[in-house]
Amino acid sequence: MGKYNGPLCRLCRAEGTKLFLKGNRCITDKCSLERRKYPPGQKGARVRFKKSNYKYQLREKQKVKRFYGLREKQFRNFFYKSAKQKGITGENLLRFLELRLDNVIYRMNFAASRTNAKQLISHGHIQVNGKKVTVSSYILKVGDEISFDEKSIKNENIKLILESITGLVETPEWIIVDTEKFLGKINNLPNREDVSLDVEEHLIVELYSK
């Protein structure tokens, strides 16, 4: 499946939940989901369809993919990696996705969205343990420190962006953030309750287990 290039707000309406794809706009009355709480294409009609188990499973997968900004191949690879780990596969999957570098940058309020975080990473603005990392899917470990490159911190445009998104999302307890030094640290592994998205991950496991 190719990359989606349409309106991002349309994805939130399709899933029936906020995916926080457009930064500050998502928490204002400009949010499309607040104004049109029905799927795109229905023109406001409250149409009810009986969904099959497969459709429920597919819907949950699409919701998680869009929330974390992944393509199908990336998502499938994370699932298979999660299935090989000890523990509950669905929870392992969500833990991997939470520990992605782009997600952590967003959760630390260092980016307006996960898409914005991907851009910061690919442009070389982010370091992990003092070394530049340009891969958004980099999986962080307990004890890893995440920071901005020294030159990036002095960049006026980046400083203005950081000031505008302070407090945009709630930073979970498993991440420690020093806002003055623009520094974060993975303090613990995320638990299931740390995932902010309303999702039934067992349906995704059922989908891929067929």
Side-chain angles (χ1 to χ4, degrees):
M1 182 180 293
K3 183 179 180 181
Y4 176 79
N5 293 314
L8 295 179
C9 292
R10 192 178 178 88
L11 297 181
C12 296
R13 290 176 57 210
E15 302 305 336
T17 188
K18 290 190 178 185
L19 301 177
F20 298 96
L21 304 175
K22 299 192 72 172
N24 288 331
R25 184 186 179 94
C26 299
I27 59 174
T28 70
D29 55 8
K30 292 182 180 180
C31 172
S32 292
L33 190 63
E34 294 291 341
R35 293 183 285 117
R36 292 180 288 180
K37 297 183 179 181
Y38 52 87
Q42 291 188 12
K43 297 183 179 178
R46 294 185 178 181
V47 182
R48 293 182 180 271
F49 297 100
K50 184 177 180 180
K51 291 184 178 179
S52 65
N53 285 338
Y54 173 75
K55 286 186 177 179
Y56 276 118
Q57 294 164 353
L58 185 61
R59 191 77 275 145
E60 291 302 283
K61 183 195 74 169
Q62 291 294 91
K63 184 196 300 183
V64 176
K65 274 176 54 182
R66 289 167 171 174
F67 185 71
Y68 289 102
L70 304 182
R71 296 189 181 186
E72 176 61 31
K73 184 176 180 180
Q74 291 176 305
F75 190 83
R76 186 168 59 248
N77 288 340
F78 273 117
F79 175 82
Y80 291 139
K81 187 175 181 180
S82 302
K84 294 177 181 178
Q85 298 285 316
K86 292 182 179 179
I88 302 171
T89 298
E91 293 186 10
N92 290 342
L93 173 63
L94 295 176
R95 184 177 297 112
F96 271 128
L97 298 179
E98 280 292 305
L99 286 168
R100 279 175 56 103
L101 181 58
D102 54 357
N103 179 70
V104 171
I105 292 294
Y106 170 67
R107 297 274 258 161
M108 291 193 302
N109 282 294
F110 286 176
S113 65
R114 291 176 180 83
T115 299
N116 181 212
K118 285 179 171 64
Q119 293 171 341
L120 290 172
I121 296 165
S122 64
H123 292 166
H125 295 300
I126 303 299
Q127 294 183 336
V128 177
N129 300 325
K131 295 182 179 180
K132 184 189 298 184
V133 175
T134 57
V135 180
S136 298
S137 60
Y138 183 92
I139 301 298
L140 295 161
K141 303 181 296 295
V142 174
D144 281 348
E145 289 190 348
I146 307 94
S147 61
F148 276 88
D149 177 84
E150 288 187 12
K151 292 181 180 179
S152 301
I153 294 176
K154 298 176 182 178
N155 185 302
E156 289 300 322
N157 288 331
I158 291 180
K159 287 172 68 175
L160 287 173
I161 292 173
L162 290 172
E163 290 173 4
S164 70
I165 59 177
T166 300
L168 177 63
V169 296
E170 183 178 354
T171 301
E173 293 183 358
W174 55 275
I175 306 174
I176 298 174
V177 178
D178 186 331
T179 54
E180 293 185 0
K181 295 181 179 179
F182 300 108
L183 177 73
K185 184 177 181 179
I186 305 301
N187 191 44
N188 290 299
L189 292 176
N191 296 315
R192 173 62 185 87
E193 55 267 26
D194 292 316
V195 178
S196 58
L197 179 66
D198 182 16
V199 59
E200 296 182 65
E201 65 274 11
H202 67 92
L203 294 176
I204 301 173
V205 178
E206 291 173 7
L207 178 65
Y208 280 110
S209 300
K210 292 181 177 179

